[in-house]
Amino acid sequence: MTLRTLILVAGLYCCLLCQQSQLPSLQEEQRRMIEEVKIQLSGTWQIKQAQIQRSELVDINYPTGISKDTLLQNLGTLQIQPATQQSDERILSLEGILEFRNQLLPVHLKFYPHPSKDAPSQGVVFISLGVSASNTPLSQAAISYLSAIGFLDENFSIKTTLPQSTMTWQGLNRAMVEAKLQKM
């Protein structure tokens, strides 16, 4: 009986080793996700809706005029393309132009992939938006407004199913609870 048990345990151990060797490593999964997200996010996106939570607004530099929880419609457009230089293979650097109130703002975005076993067809990515040039043509009032509502210099969790023409950004720290984008 012990010989059978030993053979059974050895067989199960071999099966486990075979399964683990077939699973992609975390780095391989991150690289795969970066390539998919790069293709998915490249292009022009219309920011169709942005849900703002009044209690989380930062009104220090510029009053927003938002006095209660608000749903902003057609906030602007965002053109995204891969950055010319990629400094770290674990992070996807992108650059783009945010059009807001008929003004253009150069932005940079960094995508930190976070593969999930729960939803393999979706990518969850953290985003940091920020002004990429100090001499931006966008007025200081507009920059302050976008910062106050939590669109600039903010981290978002993105969920998107490939290939879709819509995606949802969920704000992680400030007033913007959620933004819905649609590819143009």
Side-chain angles (χ1 to χ4, degrees), residues 17 44 55 58 84 90 96 102 114 122 126 132 144 150-151 158 161 168:
L17 285 178
T44 302
S55 62
V58 179
T84 53
R90 298 169 297 168
N102 295 322
H114 185 71
Q122 293 185 342
F126 297 101
S132 62
S144 295
F151 194 76
I158 287 187
T161 304
T168 302

Side-chain angles (χ1 to χ4, degrees), residues 18 36 49 68 79 84 88 91 95 101 118 121 132 160 176:
C18 289
E36 288 177 355
Q49 296 179 340
K68 57 186 174 182
Q79 297 174 19
T84 53
D88 187 342
I91 300 169
E95 50 195 29
R101 295 182 180 164
D118 299 331
S121 65
S132 62
T160 184
M176 189 168 295

Side-chain angles (χ1 to χ4, degrees), residues 24-34 36 113 115-116 120:
S25 70
L26 180 60
Q27 291 82 10
E28 291 170 339
E29 191 66 24
Q30 284 176 329
R31 278 189 231 115
R32 181 196 59 78
M33 184 177 280
I34 283 175
E36 288 177 355
S116 171

Side-chain angles (χ1 to χ4, degrees), residues 149-174:
I149 66 171
F151 194 76
L152 289 180
D153 298 324
E154 172 62 320
N155 294 316
F156 295 90
S157 171
I158 287 187
K159 292 186 180 176
T160 184
T161 304
L162 304 173
Q164 274 193 353
S165 61
T166 61
M167 67 178 156
T168 302
W169 294 11
Q170 294 178 329
L172 298 178
N173 300 313
R174 297 193 313 213

Side-chain angles (χ1 to χ4, degrees), residues 18 20 32 45-46 64 69 85 91-92 96 98 108 110-111 115 133-134 137 149 151 153 157 176 182:
C18 289
Q20 286 181 348
R32 181 196 59 78
W45 294 85
Q46 182 173 9
T64 61
D69 292 354
Q85 286 189 324
I91 300 169
L92 175 60
L98 172 65
H108 65 270
K110 291 207 182 273
F111 294 84
S134 58
I149 66 171
F151 194 76
D153 298 324
S157 171
M176 189 168 295
Q182 183 169 357

Side-chain angles (χ1 to χ4, degrees), residues 6 9 14-15 36 38 42 56 59 61-62 77 100 122-124 127 133 150 157 162 172 176 178 183:
L6 185 61
V9 169
C14 288
C15 287
E36 288 177 355
K38 185 189 309 183
S42 295
E56 299 295 323
D59 284 333
N61 297 325
Y62 182 72
T77 59
F100 176 72
Q122 293 185 342
V124 178
I127 298 174
S157 171
L162 304 173
L172 298 178
M176 189 168 295
E178 184 175 270
K183 207 166 209 174

